[in-house]
Amino acid sequence: MTSGTVFGGVGYPSPSQGLLPLFYSDGIAVAPPPTGLTGYGNELLYIPDSGFGYFAVTDQHGNQLGYFQCGIMLSDPSVITGCPTAAVGPGGVIYAPSINQGVVDVFVPILTGSTPPIAYIPSPTMPTIGTGLSGAYGVALYGTTLFVTQSTSNTVSEYSTVDGSFIGSWSSWTDPTTHKKLSFSGPYGISIDSAGDIYVTDHLNNRIDVFTGA
């Protein structure tokens, strides 16, 4: 296996820089480009940055193709202000949880025909998902359902990506083997496999919780 760096560095971001630096970037997603964008490969890197509250989209060589502000931009970059992770839906729609706003922002791509080639705007049909989410951190898509971990309230919640409606949530369950009641403690990352099984990094419990069938 060979190694290398796509891009990095610390510094306060500015659109005039052309390439936004990273500070407190917790997550990354690899997904197809927005519909209609060609010439940049079959997959792009979608990189949220909590410290600066910006979201960068690049090709796999680090060429910046688009960016937008997510969460709340504060003057002190040592404060976690924005989106720590992301999920990318069909057509390149981005679901970015905002820690300080307590919602999941939904951004849609627009091809600009210039540089950068992609602009992102809040979805005109569904601007946000959820209200008052406590420590919104991880997101995962399965069909038209968005799963969101809430690291502060120790909960995983489900929302419809069709209309943003709340589907349900859970914070505890009974272990089928030991019959003991278990609960989340600081759930952060979440991922779903092709069979619909849900994997949650239960941070403060030092374990990975698995739930069968999304």
Side-chain angles (χ1 to χ4, degrees):
M1 179 181 291
T2 59
S3 63
T5 299
V6 175
F7 72 91
V10 175
Y12 199 81
S14 167
S16 64
Q17 289 179 287
L19 185 64
L20 298 180
L22 300 177
F23 182 77
Y24 226 120
S25 181
D26 294 334
I28 188 169
V30 180
T35 302
L37 184 69
T38 59
Y40 297 95
N42 296 324
E43 293 179 310
L44 302 183
L45 304 182
Y46 296 81
I47 309 166
D49 191 276
S50 288
F52 288 133
Y54 269 90
F55 197 111
V57 180
T58 79
D59 65 14
Q60 292 176 316
H61 302 288
N63 299 306
Q64 186 166 296
L65 307 180
Y67 62 88
F68 56 88
Q69 182 178 330
C70 58
I72 301 173
M73 175 61 76
L74 302 179
S75 59
D76 181 2
S78 66
V79 179
I80 299 177
T81 62
C83 41
T85 58
V88 184
V93 175
I94 296 175
Y95 299 86
S98 172
I99 297 174
N100 283 4
Q101 289 174 301
V103 299
V104 177
D105 291 314
V106 185
F107 294 92
V108 295
I110 297 176
L111 303 189
T112 66
S114 60
T115 302
I118 318 171
Y120 288 89
I121 64 170
S123 170
T125 58
M126 190 170 54
T128 62
I129 292 180
T131 55
L133 298 177
S134 183
Y137 204 94
V139 284
L141 274 172
Y142 188 74
T144 59
T145 300
L146 182 73
F147 293 79
V148 186
T149 63
Q150 296 182 68
S151 59
T152 304
S153 62
N154 302 313
T155 303
V156 173
S157 299
E158 305 172 43
Y159 294 89
S160 167
T161 60
V162 176
D163 57 10
S165 60
F166 174 73
I167 297 173
S169 65
W170 75 97
S171 58
S172 63
W173 62 95
T174 300
D175 187 298
T177 303
T178 64
H179 303 291
K180 292 183 178 180
K181 185 175 181 179
L182 302 176
S183 300
F184 290 124
S185 184
Y188 283 165
I190 184 169
S191 188
I192 305 173
D193 65 20
S194 58
D197 298 328
I198 303 168
Y199 301 81
V200 179
T201 55
D202 202 348
H203 175 61
L204 297 179
N205 280 325
N206 300 309
R207 68 189 182 211
I208 304 296
D209 298 320
V210 183
F211 305 90
T212 303

